[in-house]
Amino acid sequence: MLVEPFSKPKMITIENNYQAISEIICGDVDEYMPFEDDVALLCNADGKRLSLSASHTVTDTETGKTEIIYGSFILVGASEFDTEYHSLDDDLIDKYMDLFSK
């Protein structure tokens, strides 16, 4: 799922590699797992420093800390035991489409 500043999220298909992800988010990839689900948020590691547009705020379900995500980001399926990212299932698509459409 691709989430861009000032746009509704959309489903995209990309290759499962660092280069494809970094091209979409325009830079080095930072992985952030703030959700209770097995979902990783992949964003530009230097988004704030590069003055990318603020995209969304995300609250870490474990710590309660809120972060601002700068620039476009991708949501993918992941867990602490996965070695690769995978597609989101239909329930997670619905949940995060709703969350980031607001």
Side-chain angles (χ1 to χ4, degrees):
M1 178 181 301
L2 173 63
V3 183
E4 299 172 294
F6 317 112
S7 298
K8 293 200 180 275
K10 61 185 173 186
M11 294 306 299
I12 62 169
T13 302
I14 63 169
E15 291 184 42
N16 191 2
N17 62 53
Y18 183 88
Q19 181 178 348
I21 295 167
S22 71
E23 285 176 13
I24 291 172
I25 62 168
C26 302
D28 291 331
V29 179
D30 189 16
E31 178 187 275
Y32 181 44
M33 294 187 70
F35 309 112
E36 60 190 27
D37 301 308
D38 288 338
V39 173
L41 186 155
L42 308 176
C43 60
N44 187 309
D46 298 314
K48 184 175 183 178
R49 186 182 60 77
L50 295 172
S51 299
L52 299 180
S53 296
S55 183
H56 287 80
T57 58
V58 176
T59 302
D60 189 307
T61 55
E62 190 173 304
T63 66
K65 184 177 178 183
T66 298
E67 296 282 340
I68 299 172
I69 307 300
Y70 293 89
S72 299
F73 60 90
I74 301 170
L75 295 176
V76 295
S79 76
E80 61 183 302
F81 305 109
D82 286 339
T83 57
E84 290 190 9
Y85 300 122
H86 52 85
S87 300
L88 299 173
D89 67 33
D90 290 340
D91 290 335
L92 292 175
I93 290 170
D94 291 343
K95 179 178 180 176
Y96 290 98
M97 279 282 192
D98 183 52
L99 177 67
F100 291 109
S101 290
K102 298 176 181 178

